């Protein structure tokens, strides 16, 4: 709550439209810089929580998540935020949080999603729960290396079904990819500082991809092993939070 109060003060506002839990577990500040090994993690040298601070170990993450959500619920009830949301949550994370939540559902689950990493099951689950899915990296993640792109079959901008739709509709490959996510009922948050790109990214409401084009782009994930299409946070241990319910 103190973090939110400080943000409101800095912004000069009384409330925010949405307050989001960015990860389903502790982040960088949870690590003991002295690398003191907590007893529960001492047996596994490759454990990403090997150097977790006291009270932030692998067996305490679900409880920390629940405590955080309770504080967010309190902020909502006090009028400090108009909605509360989550990010990078798996189905297991959401199900675990639901067990202790008193305000449900989260307004949004913001996740990485694009043709190489569509997260179909998670999107279906969220939509059934009444949770809006907001897709980041809808154009492909920022952490893809040349070797990674080659292993996946090439950059999304250069893939045959994207280029074919681009030619037919007289739209850019970026617009085709954004429209693909939009037609999957996902909100999108493309990132750019270029005003021309901003205009291009917003010019996606005057056309539709055909059912065949939607399927052809979706088929880009065929043959990609589960999780291998992920292109964000590739070297960050936060990805390991996916393993914890």
């Amino acid at each position: 709550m103190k973090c939110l109060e400080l943000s409101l003060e800095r912004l000069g506002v009384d409330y925010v439209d949405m307050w989001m839990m960015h990860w389903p577990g502790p982040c960088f500040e949870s690590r003991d810089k002295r690398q003191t090994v907590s007893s529960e993690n001492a047996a596994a040298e490759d454990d990403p929580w090997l150097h977790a601070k006291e009270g932030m170990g692998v067996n305490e993450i679900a409880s920390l998540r629940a405590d955080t959500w309770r504080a967010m619920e309190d902020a909502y009830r006090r009028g400090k935020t108009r909605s509360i949301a989550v990010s990078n949550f798996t189905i297991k994370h959401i199900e675990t949080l639901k067990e202790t939540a008193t305000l449900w559902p989260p307004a949004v689950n913001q996740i990485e999603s694009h043709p190489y990493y569509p997260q179909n099951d998670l999107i279906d689950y969220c939509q059934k729960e009444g949770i809006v899915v907001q897709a980041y990296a809808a154009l492909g993640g920022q952490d893809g290396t040349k070797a990674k792109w080659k292993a996946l079959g090439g950059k999304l901008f250069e893939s045959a079904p994207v280029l074919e739709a681009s030619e037919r509709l007289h739209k850019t490959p970026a617009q085709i990819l954004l429209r693909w996510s939009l037609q999957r009922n996902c909100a999108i948050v493309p990132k750019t500082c270029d005003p021309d790109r901003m205009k291009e990214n917003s010019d996606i409401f005057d056309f539709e991809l055909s059912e065949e084009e939607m399927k052809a782009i979706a088929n880009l994930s065929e043959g990609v092993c589960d999780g291998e299409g992920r292109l964000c946070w590739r070297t960050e241990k936060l990805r390991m939070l996916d393993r914890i319910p």
Side-chain angles (χ1 to χ4, degrees):
M1 183 64 72
K2 289 182 179 179
C3 293
L4 177 59
E5 295 283 2
L6 180 59
S7 293
L8 293 176
E9 181 181 344
R10 288 173 172 172
L11 291 168
V13 297
D14 297 324
Y15 65 87
V16 290
D17 290 325
M18 180 180 292
W19 195 23
M20 181 177 286
M21 194 188 315
H22 199 182
W23 285 97
C27 188
F28 305 98
E29 295 303 318
S30 67
R31 298 182 190 152
D32 191 330
K33 294 179 180 178
R34 296 170 300 174
Q35 298 195 341
T36 303
V37 179
S38 62
S39 57
E40 68 181 82
N41 297 327
E45 284 297 325
D46 60 345
D47 192 319
W49 285 274
L50 177 64
H51 302 301
K53 287 183 178 179
E54 195 67 33
M56 295 187 179
V58 64
N59 295 325
E60 296 154 312
I61 289 177
S63 178
L64 288 169
R65 191 186 309 140
D67 290 344
T68 301
W69 188 253
R70 276 192 289 272
M72 295 172 73
E73 291 174 331
D74 184 49
Y76 175 83
R77 292 188 175 104
R78 290 172 55 190
K80 299 294 183 181
T81 179
R82 288 187 170 180
S83 62
I84 50 179
V86 297
S87 180
N88 299 302
F89 272 49
T90 65
I91 294 174
K92 289 182 179 179
H93 294 145
I94 297 171
E95 286 287 289
T96 302
L97 185 62
K98 189 177 181 180
E99 293 174 3
T100 56
T102 59
L103 287 177
W104 198 259
V108 167
N109 185 17
Q110 186 185 83
I111 60 170
E112 176 184 349
S113 180
H114 46 75
Y116 283 146
Y117 191 56
Q119 301 222 66
N120 297 321
D121 291 343
L122 177 55
I123 289 175
D124 288 345
Y125 171 85
C126 287
Q127 291 174 347
K128 289 175 183 176
E129 282 286 313
I131 303 169
V132 173
V133 174
Q134 188 175 67
Y136 67 79
L139 302 177
Q142 75 275 16
D143 295 338
T145 61
K146 289 183 179 180
K148 183 68 174 179
W149 283 117
K150 184 177 181 181
L152 291 172
K155 291 186 177 181
L156 288 170
F157 285 147
E158 300 167 358
S159 64
V162 172
L163 291 176
E164 288 168 7
S166 174
E167 182 177 359
R168 182 183 77 82
L169 293 161
H170 305 290
K171 292 290 183 177
T172 66
Q175 289 171 323
I176 297 299
L177 288 166
L178 294 175
R179 183 71 200 186
W180 182 80
S181 289
L182 201 64
Q183 286 184 219
R184 299 176 77 219
N185 295 317
C186 294
I188 46 179
V189 281
K191 181 181 178 182
T192 182
C193 296
D194 186 327
D196 290 334
R197 292 291 188 196
M198 292 179 191
K199 184 177 184 302
E200 176 187 331
N201 291 342
S202 63
D203 188 20
I204 59 172
F205 298 99
D206 60 349
F207 72 98
E208 285 190 6
L209 296 172
S210 68
E211 184 177 343
E212 291 74 19
E213 287 166 335
M214 289 292 294
K215 288 181 179 178
I217 295 172
N219 287 341
L220 289 170
S221 64
E222 286 190 354
V224 178
C225 296
D226 188 37
E228 286 301 310
R230 193 171 186 177
L231 293 167
C232 295
W233 316 102
R234 291 182 59 249
T235 60
E236 175 51 58
K237 289 182 179 179
L238 282 167
R239 295 181 63 178
M240 302 301 176
L241 289 166
D242 287 358
R243 302 178 182 178
I244 300 173

